[in-house]
Amino acid sequence: MRNLNWLTLLLMMLLTSACNNESAISLGFIYSTPKTERYVKEAMYFKNYAEKQGVKVYVEHGNGDAALQYQKAIELFDKGIKGLAIIAVNANTAAAIVREGHERGVTVMAYNRLIKNCDLDFFVSGDNDALGRMMVEEIVKVKPTGDAVILGGDKYDRNAVELMEAIKSYLNPHVESGRINVKYETFVEEWSGENAAYELEQYLSYTGRMPDIIFAGFDGIANGCIDVIENYDGAKQVFISGQDATIEGAKNIMAGKQQMTAFHPLNEASTKAAEVLIKLVKNKSKGRDLANSAVNNGQKDVPTVKIPSVALTKENLEKVLINETGFYKREQLY
């Protein structure tokens, strides 16, 4: 009789374990490249939040190669994930990942970069229009007149295109009034500081005159420009924007070499993405209810959560990055 009770208990334990395994959710987070520090952090935040909810997360990256990212996505599908968040290497070719995922019953979310021309399930991103307005307002506040150069991000990244449009739109009243003259504007391949330095050097060789303002679409672009400025004969104060609150950008602001950066609350954005993706996997309609916007990707209006950014200047940088968020430790900035 005692043996029978033990057998019954063992059977119940096995059945419970099987049920738990069947109901368990696993997700994937695959980002574009580890060279971008924020993506590595966002993957960690996403994983930490999801795993606190009892959800297993596999993290991969494409090492900047769209074909490799596709291969990594297939490997994640083969592991049986139910949902995938992607920071796409290529916003066009990543549509193949979405299609393959859907064929396998996987819910696919774009994170930070919209994936074009596909039946994308959801999108989590910053607000590029608000970001452009923020850059213009913060720079014009400290330098209301002068010659300006706009160095945006990679033209194949929708974020770069939208940000360039926003900067120009919010600059327009200052241009029409004659207070600011936009002398040069271009996109910078791969959002690269080296490529930005080259563009600024080309501008200087053509005009022979340092601009008063540089609207840099990213702290790395700003840093490349600062290197050129510091090596330029007769260098003057140049007022520079940026985004991402990189360690170099933060140090440049503290040193007075860059006037602002946009801090994206990465923990908030990535945990929101994990929350949404878990809900989408469990119940698509309830997950979509979390959207606060919609963005058209060429095929559909994709339900979207836009996460606002924070303008950082020398006045509030330490407070936000060290005291409030712990994004950096004090010894990292000083």
Side-chain angles (χ1 to χ4, degrees):
M1 190 70 175
R2 186 175 296 171
N3 289 340
L4 182 59
N5 288 339
W6 275 109
L7 286 171
T8 302
L9 180 60
L10 180 61
L11 181 60
M12 290 176 63
M13 290 173 65
L14 290 171
L15 287 171
T16 301
S17 176
C19 289
N20 286 339
N21 287 336
E22 287 174 3
S23 61
I25 295 172
S26 61
L27 304 176
F29 188 103
I30 182 166
Y31 56 99
S32 55
T33 172
K35 291 181 180 179
T36 303
E37 182 183 358
R38 63 170 284 190
Y39 296 162
V40 180
K41 289 184 176 181
E42 287 169 293
M44 178 190 68
Y45 293 142
F46 181 101
K47 180 180 174 72
N48 289 345
Y49 174 86
E51 293 195 339
K52 285 179 182 176
Q53 316 307 311
V55 175
K56 183 172 180 59
V57 177
Y58 300 97
V59 175
E60 295 285 356
H61 65 78
N63 204 31
D65 184 320
L68 178 61
Q69 187 174 51
Y70 177 83
Q71 177 186 326
K72 293 290 186 181
I74 298 302
E75 291 172 4
L76 291 178
F77 295 151
D78 289 342
K79 288 180 178 179
I81 63 170
K82 299 299 182 184
L84 177 65
I86 312 174
I87 304 176
V89 173
N90 185 303
N92 294 303
T93 60
I97 297 175
V98 179
R99 289 191 290 269
E100 179 69 23
H102 284 176
E103 287 179 8
R104 299 183 185 220
V106 178
T107 300
V108 185
M109 163 192 288
Y111 182 84
N112 186 256
R113 291 177 177 169
L114 186 66
I115 300 174
K116 299 178 182 177
N117 300 313
C118 60
D119 187 23
L120 187 64
D121 292 296
F122 209 91
F123 181 38
V124 175
S125 76
D127 187 331
N128 289 315
D129 184 76
L131 179 57
R133 181 179 70 245
M134 179 189 302
M135 287 183 175
V136 170
E137 287 177 352
E138 291 299 329
I139 294 298
V140 169
K141 190 186 300 182
V142 293
K143 182 60 178 172
T145 61
D147 293 341
V149 166
I150 307 175
L151 298 178
D154 194 304
K155 65 182 177 181
Y156 295 108
D157 184 341
R158 180 189 175 106
N159 288 326
V161 175
E162 290 182 352
L163 178 57
M164 176 74 84
E165 290 173 352
I167 290 171
K168 290 165 65 175
S169 172
Y170 290 106
L171 260 183
N172 192 53
H174 305 280
V175 172
E176 289 186 342
S177 69
R179 294 189 298 272
I180 290 179
N181 298 306
V182 177
K183 294 293 189 178
Y184 183 64
E185 62 183 69
T186 190
F187 292 100
V188 176
E189 188 175 352
E190 297 180 342
W191 300 79
S192 160
E194 289 183 5
N195 292 336
Y198 173 80
E199 292 292 345
L200 182 57
E201 285 169 348
Q202 291 293 105
Y203 170 81
L204 293 173
S205 68
Y206 179 72
T207 65
R209 182 177 177 181
M210 184 69 68
D212 301 293
I213 298 167
I214 297 175
F215 289 100
F218 164 57
D219 286 350
I221 291 174
N223 198 55
C225 292
I226 289 167
D227 288 343
V228 174
I229 292 166
E230 291 182 336
N231 291 324
Y232 189 74
D233 186 31
K236 62 178 183 180
Q237 172 76 63
V238 180
F239 296 80
I240 307 176
S241 72
Q243 73 163 313
D244 274 5
T246 67
I247 192 69
E248 293 83 5
K251 287 181 176 181
N252 284 334
I253 289 173
M254 298 303 289
K257 299 176 183 179
Q258 180 178 331
Q259 278 55 58
M260 67 82 63
T261 187
F263 171 61
H264 308 306
L266 306 184
N267 197 346
E268 178 185 345
S270 49
T271 55
K272 174 58 73 174
E275 176 193 355
V276 171
L277 190 53
I278 291 168
K279 289 189 176 181
L280 284 170
V281 167
K282 291 181 176 179
N283 185 321
K284 274 192 166 56
S285 61
K286 287 187 177 179
R288 291 188 184 118
D289 289 343
L290 296 175
N292 60 16
S293 183
V295 176
N296 191 281
N297 73 343
Q299 179 170 325
K300 64 180 285 190
D301 290 329
V302 182
T304 300
V305 166
K306 289 188 175 182
I307 308 292
S309 301
V310 179
L312 297 185
T313 65
K314 196 171 185 178
E315 284 67 39
N316 69 341
L317 185 144
E318 182 177 318
K319 176 186 174 185
V320 174
L321 294 185
I322 298 176
N323 301 338
E324 293 181 354
T325 66
F327 194 71
Y328 293 125
K329 293 181 172 60
R330 185 171 299 276
E331 54 267 28
Q332 289 178 278
L333 291 183
Y334 297 99

